[in-house]
């Protein structure tokens, strides 16, 4: 097989992007298919109780799509099914190929207090940066933000425990195995690290399938990609993603001042300064 790094730049770019996009689309379609099957199953249950005339079917469909409890459950099931495929796929293709040097690097330079402290601090800064980006979107296009808020309220408005299971556990594991596992590792065959980080961040935004999340997760995706590259593992990025998502369930219990724009800007600046300072004192490490 021809060495990818010896191929022309145009061919390298196309091959790297096409393969990565195909991986992303495959898992997006898997979750869509599971969701469609779930909606059809609910429709069938409705029809067995009330008939199959067109008016009743349309009414049943609207009831299903506006029922937060069912949609939250459906989201958990779709994410779980995707996780069942993404975790073994990453392990078989890339995870089990870690060298002894990679494992030693992980033990000696990643499994330490400072790297995880940096990850936690960076997650806080990224969370508030996402809030600021969302606030800008709300000013520029209030209709877009209103639609997004309604969509999220419907998707996560059911069981709080199920919503947390999906957002805090399943989504980080699934998305990191796909984006920072399968896709990032594939991109590393074709591109330099900065290009890899940028491309996978853009794909991460597209993976969320809505423009609001697609925009505010760009810096998050870039940071997660950088962490995965530097640590040579998806485990730290899973932890970072998990902590980042968990903040959305924690921040609502903080004082009202912690949800203001001034606090968000301060959190971003302080977090960035802290991570930079901690990294500058130990440049040979993470």
């Amino acid at each position: 097989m021809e060495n990818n790094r010896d191929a022309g730049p145009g061919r390298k770019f196309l091959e790297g992007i096409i393969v990565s996009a195909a991986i992303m689309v495959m898992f997006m379609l898997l979750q869509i298919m599971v969701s469609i099957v779930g909606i059809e199953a609910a429709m069938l249950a409705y029809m067995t109780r009330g008939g199959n005339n067109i008016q009743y079917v349309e009414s049943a469909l609207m009831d299903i799509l506006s029922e937060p409890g069912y949609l939250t459950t459906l989201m958990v099931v779709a994410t779980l099914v995707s996780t069942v495929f993404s975790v073994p796929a990453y392990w078989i293709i890339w995870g089990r190929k870690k060298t002894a040097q990679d494992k030693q690097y992980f033990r000696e330079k990643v499994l330490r207090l400072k790297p995880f402290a940096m990850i936690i601090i960076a997650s806080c800064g990224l969370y508030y940066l996402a809030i600021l980006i969302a606030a800008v979107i709300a000013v520029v296009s209030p209709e877009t933000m209103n639609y997004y808020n309604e969509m999220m309220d419907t998707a996560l408005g059911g069981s709080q425990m199920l919503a947390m299971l999906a957002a805090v556990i399943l989504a980080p594991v699934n998305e990191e195995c796909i984006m920072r596992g399968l896709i990032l590792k594939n991109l590393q065959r074709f591109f330099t690290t900065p290009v890899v980080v940028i491309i996978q961040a853009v794909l991460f935004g597209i993976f969320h399938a809505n423009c609001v999340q697609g925009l505010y997760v760009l810096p998050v995706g870039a940071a997660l990609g950088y962490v995965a590259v530097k640590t040579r593992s998806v485990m730290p990025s899973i932890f970072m993603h998990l902590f980042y998502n968990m903040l959305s369930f924690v921040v609502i219990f903080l004082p009202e001042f912690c949800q203001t724009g001034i606090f968000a800007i301060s959190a971003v600046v302080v977090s960035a300064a802290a991570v930079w300072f901690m990294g500058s004192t130990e440049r040979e490490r993470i």
Side-chain angles (χ1 to χ4, degrees), residues 174-235:
N174 179 52
E175 292 175 8
E176 292 311 305
C177 284
I178 296 170
M179 303 305 306
R180 261 60 67 178
L182 295 169
I183 289 177
L184 184 142
K185 286 291 187 181
N186 173 68
L187 290 171
Q188 286 183 306
R189 299 163 54 221
F190 302 93
F191 307 111
T192 60
T193 295
V195 177
V196 167
V197 170
I198 293 171
I199 294 176
Q200 62 84 38
V202 172
L203 291 176
F204 185 53
I206 296 172
F207 187 78
H208 284 79
N210 68 83
C211 61
V212 175
Q213 274 184 305
L215 289 174
Y216 74 63
V217 301
L218 285 176
V220 180
L224 290 168
Y226 179 78
V227 168
V229 170
K230 296 298 288 184
T231 61
R232 308 179 191 178
S233 171
V234 297
M235 292 305 297

Side-chain angles (χ1 to χ4, degrees), residues 39-54 56-58 60-61 64:
I39 292 173
E40 289 182 344
M43 287 287 295
L44 182 62
Y46 266 81
M47 291 168 64
T48 56
R49 294 197 302 266
N52 59 359
N53 65 78
I54 188 64
Y56 182 80
V57 171
E58 290 177 351
L61 180 60
I64 293 169

Side-chain angles (χ1 to χ4, degrees), residues 125-139:
L126 288 166
Y127 176 80
Y128 280 102
L129 178 59
I131 289 179
L132 292 174
I133 294 173
V136 172
I137 296 173
V139 171

